[in-house]
Amino acid sequence: MSEKRRDHKNRLLRTGESQRKDGRYVYKYVDAHGKTTFVYSWTLVATDRTPRGKKTDISLREKEKIILKELEDGIYLRTKNLTVCQLYHQYTRYKANVREATKLGRLQLAKALKKDPLGHTLISRVKTANAKEWVLRMNQHGYSYQTISNYKRSLKATFYMAQQEEYVRNNPFDFPISDLLEDNRKPKTPLSAVMEKNLLTFLTTDKVYRKYYNDVVILLGTGLRISELCGLTIKDIDLDQRLIHVNHQLLKNEKNKYSITPPKTAAGIRTIPMSTLVHEAIHSLLNQRKSNLGITTFLFTTRNGQPRTAMDYASIFRRMAKKYNKQHPQEILPIPFSAHSLRHTFCTKLAHTGMNPKALQYIMGHKNISMTLNYYAHTNSDMAVNEMKKHLT
């Protein structure tokens, strides 16, 4: 029977353990990929003193305990060398079938991770405390509550994948963001009837912004998303039947490339009837376009005939609201004012008329009825009293 190995202190060594001539301990094992691997330490057990001049580290037996636990759990040690950036890249590759807007958001998060220490941290070393520090840093760098919340949700999903693949045991992003940041998002406010009337009057008289009168009328009268409005072509308009067919949207990426994609959700494919005011606005636009129909079939274009984009309108509406509010200090537009403010106003108005929620859900292109029902909550005491009176006997 062969004699068991002993270290320089005459202690019995376990299977896989050995000690080199310089006193360093070695543990040899086969990892989850079948590769022979070695780990080293200057001490065998936690109570040993590290030799003078050598780097302090946990003992060999402590390392063995971690390794055996991870092999038992099936956690691949090779994947522990992934950084957060690399893990996020893997996550986005595995879930590549997403819309253009989602891809753009992923690019933004990837850039933010590259600039932050968290992105270069090994996933095995990311703890909840690290994730919380990241949230605070993002806030200090000026990212909005909504953006941080979206990014955190993406990273939580990324680490959930890592858990499923058994790269890590715990998800460091599994905590409520409200523990760290106050939700400072301003509630969405629809335009009042007075605001809406004043805005349209302003647009008919202002020398700079009157050219956007028809755009605002159509947004107020259809509830279209701005990307859907930008994507409207002449073929989508049925003036005879007074219908707008929505089956795509126009996006523009960071490289200034246009793309036509399906609406935000499958529910976004819909047909919207035109009011008299919307019909007149579209008829007016088509008459203006007769001279340059050969350039593009898009309904909303810039001076050089290029399709107008959501980014264009964001700038337009920001400047428009600033000028309008100076002239109407008693009835200022909600800030930030955007195309979505008009969509919000449209939906709230129809909800107040008592329109069937499912019908309104279809017109809005909402995926979930809960999104539509939220607009029915924008009511005041008079509306509630009048609504109840209708049902009293």
Side-chain angles (χ1 to χ4, degrees):
M1 186 174 179
S2 61
E3 186 180 351
K4 292 186 177 181
R5 290 184 179 180
R6 293 177 180 270
D7 69 357
H8 296 171
K9 295 181 181 180
N10 204 33
R11 293 178 295 190
L12 284 173
L13 297 176
R14 298 172 181 171
T15 302
E17 295 178 345
S18 62
Q19 188 176 26
R20 293 167 38 164
K21 291 180 179 181
D22 61 359
R24 198 177 188 190
Y25 291 95
V26 182
Y27 177 63
K28 176 183 177 182
Y29 70 99
V30 178
D31 69 13
H33 301 281
K35 181 182 177 182
T36 300
T37 308
F38 299 88
V39 292
Y40 304 88
S41 178
W42 287 106
T43 58
L44 180 65
V45 294
T47 54
D48 288 348
R49 289 186 178 181
T50 303
R52 183 177 297 178
K54 303 301 181 183
K55 185 177 180 181
T56 302
D57 194 4
I58 63 173
S59 70
L60 191 73
R61 294 272 169 89
E62 290 174 297
K63 291 185 178 183
E64 289 176 42
K65 186 177 180 179
I66 294 171
I67 291 167
L68 292 172
K69 175 62 176 172
E70 289 175 339
L71 288 174
E72 181 183 344
D73 291 348
I75 295 177
Y76 298 165
L77 299 184
R78 183 173 60 84
T79 58
K80 291 181 65 176
N81 293 323
L82 286 173
T83 64
V84 175
C85 281
Q86 291 169 333
L87 180 68
Y88 184 65
H89 176 69
Q90 185 179 112
Y91 170 79
T92 56
R93 281 198 305 112
Y94 288 171
K95 296 183 179 292
N97 188 25
V98 296
R99 299 184 184 278
E100 288 298 320
T102 303
K103 290 180 181 178
L104 184 59
R106 286 178 169 183
L107 285 174
Q108 298 293 347
L109 175 52
K111 287 183 178 180
L113 285 173
K114 286 181 181 179
K115 295 178 181 178
D116 191 89
L118 178 74
H120 306 281
T121 303
L122 298 181
I123 62 173
S124 59
R125 297 181 180 176
V126 179
K127 308 300 180 186
T128 300
N130 303 119
K132 288 183 175 181
E133 287 295 333
W134 170 82
V135 168
L136 295 175
R137 284 197 301 274
M138 294 291 283
N139 184 51
Q140 291 170 358
H141 291 328
Y143 286 86
S144 69
Y145 179 93
Q146 184 63 60
T147 298
I148 299 172
S149 180
N150 291 341
Y151 286 176
K152 176 187 167 293
R153 185 169 60 250
S154 295
L155 290 174
K156 182 179 178 180
T158 300
F159 272 87
Y160 176 74
M161 178 202 73
Q163 281 182 294
Q164 295 298 102
E165 295 292 335
E166 299 182 331
Y167 296 171
V168 296
R169 290 196 187 90
N170 303 311
N171 192 328
F173 285 88
D174 190 12
F175 62 88
I177 193 174
S178 57
D179 287 353
L180 301 170
L181 301 180
E182 181 182 354
D183 188 347
N184 57 5
R185 291 173 294 184
K186 294 182 179 179
K188 297 175 182 176
T189 307
L191 274 63
S192 66
V194 174
M195 287 181 193
E196 188 175 337
K197 181 180 178 181
N198 288 346
L199 176 60
L200 293 178
T201 301
F202 166 79
L203 291 173
T204 57
T205 57
D206 188 84
K207 293 181 180 180
V208 176
Y209 295 104
R210 62 186 177 190
K211 58 186 174 185
Y212 303 114
Y213 171 84
N214 291 324
D215 311 43
V216 171
V217 165
I218 294 169
L219 287 168
L220 274 171
T222 62
L224 285 169
R225 298 180 178 92
I226 191 60
S227 56
E228 295 169 344
L229 180 89
C230 294
L232 283 182
T233 67
I234 296 168
K235 291 181 180 179
D236 302 319
I237 306 300
D238 186 341
L239 282 178
D240 294 335
Q241 298 297 319
R242 297 197 172 196
L243 297 172
I244 299 173
H245 301 289
V246 184
N247 52 39
H248 62 271
Q249 61 179 344
L250 176 70
L251 301 175
K252 191 177 184 181
N253 63 24
E254 288 185 321
K255 297 180 180 179
N256 290 324
K257 289 186 177 180
Y258 294 97
S259 62
I260 301 293
T261 69
K264 185 177 181 181
T265 67
I269 298 176
R270 61 202 189 278
T271 298
I272 302 174
M274 302 180 197
S275 65
T276 300
L277 201 59
V278 169
H279 184 269
E280 292 173 353
I282 291 180
H283 195 274
S284 174
L285 280 171
L286 291 175
N287 285 337
Q288 295 172 22
R289 295 288 317 287
K290 283 183 179 179
S291 60
N292 63 351
L293 287 182
I295 300 176
T296 177
T297 60
F298 287 103
L299 205 57
F300 301 92
T301 58
T302 60
R303 289 180 181 178
N304 59 8
Q306 295 297 313
R308 192 167 280 140
T309 65
M311 190 174 295
D312 296 328
Y313 277 111
S315 177
I316 291 166
F317 284 135
R318 185 169 57 251
R319 298 194 307 269
M320 178 195 298
K322 185 176 181 180
K323 186 171 185 180
Y324 169 92
N325 286 343
K326 283 185 178 180
Q327 298 180 17
H328 301 81
Q330 302 303 317
E331 287 288 342
I332 63 172
L333 296 172
I335 301 299
F337 177 69
S338 66
H340 195 80
S341 303
L342 306 181
R343 175 173 163 83
H344 186 69
T345 300
F346 169 82
C347 192
T348 303
K349 285 170 58 179
L350 288 183
H352 286 173
T353 66
M355 183 176 181
N356 181 287
K358 291 299 291 184
L360 183 52
Q361 179 188 1
Y362 169 82
I363 292 297
M364 294 300 295
H366 285 155
K367 181 179 180 180
N368 300 313
I369 187 65
S370 59
M371 296 179 65
T372 312
L373 290 175
N374 286 336
Y375 288 88
Y376 287 80
H378 288 291
T379 188
N380 55 41
S381 57
D382 291 338
M383 291 176 181
V385 170
N386 291 332
E387 185 65 22
M388 184 172 176
K389 284 180 178 179
K390 294 179 184 178
H391 300 280
L392 292 176
T393 57

